[in-house]
Amino acid sequence: MKTLKRTMRAQKRQQGSVSILVALSLAALLGVAGLAIDAGMGYMIKARLDSAVDGALIAAGQAVTRGASQAEQISNATTAANAFFAANYPTGFLGSTATLSAPSVKIDKGTVTIDLAAQASVPLTLMQIQGFKVLNVATTGEAIRRDLDLSFVIDVTSSMSDTTTQAAVRSGSTGFLNNFNTSTDRVSLMHFATGTVVDVPFKSDQTRGFDRTTMTTKINGYSFGGNTASVDAIWNAKYQLDHVITQPSSLRVIVFFSDGAPNSFAANFTKGATTTCATGGYTIVSSDSPPTSTSSNNNPGAFNNMSVQNQQASCHDPYADNVTSMPATYDVHAASDASSTLPITPASPIAGTLTRPVTSSMPNVASSSSKLANMLIKYQNVNNASRNLMEMMAAKARAEGIYVFALGYGPSLLTKTGAGSGEVGQDILKCIANVADGPSRCYDSKQPVGVYCYAATINDIKPCYAQLASAILRIAK
């Protein structure tokens, strides 16, 4: 009997011990479960917080380009950061409360630094068993935008002379300027056709920024007409970056808009035995297509500056002027920029390859029977030389670390092949931008790789400009 009682008492003690162990185990299990649940919730809050801050940085970086003064730009960036954070972190997300600290926007010369910090707190669930009440999550982000020097080149040739295209070019070009900071970025503006005019040069080294209002007025006042003398436009863009500014920014860019391949170039051609046309030169052919008869209207079409065009009357009929040979070099700027004196004949090397042969011979027009043949020789020489020179000039710019971005517009870029090279205009624009899907002969992975965007219609011009601006801002970070 006593043995039975002792056994029953032992069983009760064992049951009590098991109850304590179960209780302790349950608390531990709840703690582990609470850690897993609350930690998972904290992870999701942190991910959402990071995403909202990253988006706010992007929005602030875009907004800081707007405003006439640094105070306005900082205000715009701050407003955009707050608005974007609020839109991307929903109120009460998983029961949390989030705040974005006051954004820090600093503009030092050409560099913009934006710092953001955000915090979120959320009441814990099962972890409260362990005595923890609130989970605090924090994140920070920084965006640094490098200073920028940009040469902006716009084609105003006769192939875009209809009013609808003109309006699209003006609208897209002025809208493109809105992506850049008028107090920190340096922008120069120029347009080209038969020659090139620098509408607004860079400011001095000590003065950053650019005058967007004046540039908008200039673009809206463009007259369209003339030939595609692209090489001088690229030269002017490079000259602005190399010589007008002697203390360059960390990022240098040429943005080149055109609807066609180069078909002419400026040089000091020799007329007859002893006479040289006035400085500024001229070329032989103004058309993308070769002459088909001796009556073809292929007047010369390139000068190093549009303003000298009317002074070149004696050079407007190269056949009568008895031009007998091509110049050896692209020499019209030799005095001011000897480094950009490029070879023309007998062949122009591009990236180590002899491309588009150019001969020195420019036959006289001896008789009507030989005139067309002579015109074709002149056409091929000038057309090939124009394309070679443009690519060589762009390659020189890239060798100096300058990015080249190209926007091509219209169907002719996909159809016209020039003087028998077999390449369409788009190939040349891809070459100057140094994009991987361009012709293999001109792609150089060691040089800055730009962006080429093709606008098939006028409705594609603005989206292409937006793509170029986005790419520039991305490499500016």
Side-chain angles (χ1 to χ4, degrees):
M1 188 67 176
K2 289 181 179 180
T3 301
L4 179 60
K5 289 181 178 179
R6 284 198 297 270
T7 302
M8 292 177 64
R9 286 197 296 270
Q11 289 177 343
K12 288 181 179 179
R13 285 197 299 269
Q14 290 173 355
Q15 289 173 355
S17 298
V18 170
S19 298
I20 293 172
L21 289 173
V22 170
L24 291 174
S25 299
L26 182 60
L29 289 172
L30 289 173
V32 171
L35 179 62
I37 294 171
D38 290 333
M41 183 168 60
Y43 177 82
M44 289 188 288
I45 291 172
K46 178 66 163 58
R48 191 59 180 256
L49 202 64
D50 286 341
S51 178
V53 166
D54 288 344
L57 282 170
I58 294 172
Q62 294 173 339
V64 79
T65 64
R66 299 192 293 271
S69 66
Q70 285 194 11
E72 288 184 15
Q73 292 159 4
I74 291 173
S75 176
N76 289 337
T78 300
T79 300
N82 287 323
F84 202 93
F85 180 83
N88 285 273
Y89 196 97
T91 301
F93 176 70
L94 295 179
S96 66
T97 302
T99 57
L100 179 69
S101 299
S104 171
V105 183
K106 298 178 181 178
I107 300 177
D108 180 16
K109 296 181 180 179
T111 302
V112 179
T113 304
I114 303 172
D115 288 291
L116 297 181
Q119 310 80 34
S121 60
V122 59
L124 294 173
T125 55
L126 297 178
M127 283 295 291
Q128 292 194 30
I129 296 173
Q130 306 296 325
F132 300 101
K133 303 299 182 184
V134 177
L135 176 64
N136 294 310
V137 180
T139 191
T140 60
E142 181 178 71
I144 299 176
R145 187 172 178 273
R146 291 190 289 167
D147 48 0
L148 169 69
D149 298 337
L150 188 152
S151 287
F152 187 22
V153 185
I154 302 174
D155 183 338
V156 295
T157 50
S158 57
S159 52
M160 294 187 291
S161 59
D162 66 279
T163 56
T164 303
T165 302
Q166 289 183 37
V169 172
R170 291 191 178 99
S171 177
S173 300
T174 55
F176 174 72
L177 292 172
N178 292 331
N179 293 283
F180 304 102
N181 193 312
T182 55
S183 65
T184 60
D185 296 328
R186 293 188 288 206
V187 180
S188 64
L189 173 69
M190 60 209 73
H191 67 283
F192 80 97
T194 299
T196 302
V197 171
V198 178
D199 302 295
V200 183
F202 285 123
K203 294 183 177 181
S204 66
D205 285 320
Q206 291 72 32
T207 307
R208 297 200 64 86
F210 68 98
D211 187 343
R212 186 158 52 203
T213 301
T214 297
M215 290 185 178
T216 299
T217 300
K218 291 285 187 181
I219 293 171
N220 287 331
Y222 284 161
S223 296
F224 288 68
N227 310 303
T228 313
S230 305
V231 62
D232 234 66
I234 295 290
W235 178 87
N236 274 278
K238 180 177 175 292
Y239 186 85
Q240 286 285 310
L241 293 165
D242 283 344
H243 298 284
V244 176
I245 295 176
T246 58
Q247 298 175 11
S249 294
S250 56
L251 177 61
R252 301 193 297 162
V253 177
I254 294 172
V255 173
F256 183 85
F257 167 82
S258 182
D259 77 328
N263 57 25
S264 49
F265 68 96
N268 289 306
F269 287 74
T270 298
K271 182 178 68 171
T274 59
T275 306
T276 299
C277 291
T279 299
Y282 69 96
T283 58
I284 310 302
V285 181
S286 65
S287 170
D288 287 323
S289 303
T292 56
S293 70
T294 56
S295 62
S296 296
N297 184 22
N298 284 314
N299 294 323
F303 300 94
N304 66 310
N305 190 299
M306 290 184 187
S307 64
V308 302
Q309 183 170 335
N310 293 333
Q311 303 170 23
Q312 306 296 319
S314 63
C315 293
H316 274 218
D317 187 353
Y319 308 111
D321 287 338
N322 197 24
V323 175
T324 58
S325 64
M326 291 282 283
T329 61
Y330 172 73
D331 59 0
V332 289
H333 302 294
S336 58
D337 186 19
S339 66
S340 292
T341 300
L342 301 172
I344 295 176
T345 57
S348 300
I350 302 176
T353 304
L354 293 180
T355 306
R356 306 186 192 98
V358 180
T359 63
S360 59
S361 175
M362 300 286 277
N364 296 334
V365 181
S367 65
S368 59
S369 60
S370 61
K371 183 176 180 180
L372 178 58
N374 293 339
M375 290 170 66
L376 287 169
I377 291 173
K378 293 180 178 183
Y379 164 78
Q380 179 170 326
N381 274 320
V382 171
N383 197 273
N384 283 349
S386 301
R387 293 176 172 224
N388 289 344
L389 288 169
M390 182 183 181
E391 291 183 11
M392 283 191 289
M393 190 65 73
K396 272 187 170 290
R398 297 194 309 269
E400 298 173 6
I402 298 171
Y403 286 82
V404 180
F405 291 76
L407 196 168
Y409 160 69
S412 65
L413 284 174
L414 305 182
T415 57
K416 294 184 178 179
T417 58
S421 65
E423 291 181 307
V424 295
Q426 178 169 262
D427 293 331
I428 299 168
L429 293 182
K430 286 184 174 182
C431 271
I432 69 169
N434 194 34
V435 294
D437 66 339
S440 59
R441 61 168 180 77
C442 57
Y443 174 65
D444 186 351
S445 61
K446 296 179 181 179
Q447 290 191 342
V449 176
V451 173
Y452 168 71
C453 185
Y454 174 61
T457 70
I458 57 174
N459 294 326
D460 300 320
I461 293 177
K462 275 191 176 180
C464 267
Y465 267 132
Q467 180 181 335
L468 298 191
S470 176
I472 294 169
L473 294 174
R474 185 166 59 250
I475 61 175
K477 294 180 180 178

